[in-house]
Amino acid sequence: MRSLRLLATLVTLSAPLVAQPIIAQSSGLPSPDRVIDFGANLFVNFTPITTQIPGITVRHASYFTTGTSNNLVGGFLTNDFSGAPDTLSIAFNTPIRNLSFVYHQTSMTQASVFRALRGGSVVDSFSLVWNQNLPNNYFGFTNIVFDELQIDFVADFNVDTLAINDVTADCTVRNGMNVNPRAYSCTTLPVIGTNWQAALATKPNTGGPVVAKAPGGAPPGITFRG
């Protein structure tokens, strides 16, 4: 008989949570935890921005204030013309799980590349050829945990309205050297007061024990057979 204990919260077999980028949408996150909108006239135009904005560290950008222009409102980030590599970086002081932002690309000759990174490693990315005059200019990443946004831009850019959902809990899955297929994943992030869900990918010939632990004991109605 296998000795089994339940995890602190119910584990259910369901489809894995899928990362979903926001690409060329007409609006950003509907109810974000917080928004960084860069104010208006906070700095002299073309002031290099690094750590002046609370919560983020910026590389390869300067500040500019305008009126309202195709979803830019007041202040925003633009190119500091410091030279190659032409990559904007916005690093967040704490991990986040969802992000949307307004993006203008001034050239249609090459693709902009958008990357979400965690600890310096890319966790999601996409690219497209874009133009600053198109109105559906909200981009971003959802359903992942990351701490940095990078954008490879062409010639010049404008970025405004960072809408953010923070991570209040995290789920880290390790699979050794990734020799074996990944059989376990989180379908939701742990949140106090809710059931945390995970997925176990099994096959007809799957064998071996599953071990889970709950210091308070297993919830009623859960039965394991060995």
Side-chain angles (χ1 to χ4, degrees), residues 60 79-88 152-153 155:
H60 214 317
N79 191 6
D80 64 2
F81 298 100
S82 58
D86 288 339
T87 300
L88 166 68
D152 295 343
F153 60 90

Side-chain angles (χ1 to χ4, degrees), residues 62-219:
S62 59
Y63 182 86
F64 198 88
T65 293
T66 187
T68 299
S69 176
N70 198 11
N71 294 321
L72 296 180
V73 180
F76 56 90
L77 298 180
T78 191
N79 191 6
D80 64 2
F81 298 100
S82 58
D86 288 339
T87 300
L88 166 68
S89 168
I90 302 175
F92 301 89
N93 292 0
T94 56
I96 63 175
R97 58 188 175 91
N98 297 325
L99 171 70
S100 68
F101 53 90
V102 173
Y103 176 72
H104 289 187
Q105 168 65 63
T106 62
S107 171
M108 292 189 68
T109 61
Q110 299 179 35
S112 299
V113 181
F114 302 78
R115 291 185 293 272
L117 300 90
R118 185 177 186 189
S121 298
V122 176
V123 294
D124 201 5
S125 66
F126 62 90
S127 65
L128 81 167
V129 177
W130 199 239
N131 181 273
Q132 64 180 341
N133 299 316
L134 297 173
N136 51 326
N137 52 19
Y138 285 85
F139 297 85
F141 296 92
T142 65
N143 296 340
I144 57 175
V145 177
F146 62 111
D147 55 20
E148 183 181 1
L149 168 70
Q150 289 185 358
I151 304 175
D152 295 343
F153 60 90
V154 183
D156 202 0
F157 68 88
N158 301 318
V159 167
D160 198 6
T161 315
L162 305 178
I164 301 163
N165 285 334
D166 295 304
V167 171
T168 55
D170 198 357
C171 180
T172 301
V173 177
R174 296 179 173 85
N175 192 28
M177 299 298 293
N178 289 316
V179 174
N180 296 313
R182 179 169 167 171
Y184 169 87
S185 62
C186 297
T187 60
T188 63
L189 291 174
V191 177
I192 293 175
T194 67
N195 287 336
W196 166 60
Q197 295 183 338
L200 298 174
T202 61
K203 297 180 179 180
N205 60 349
T206 297
V210 175
V211 179
K213 179 180 179 182

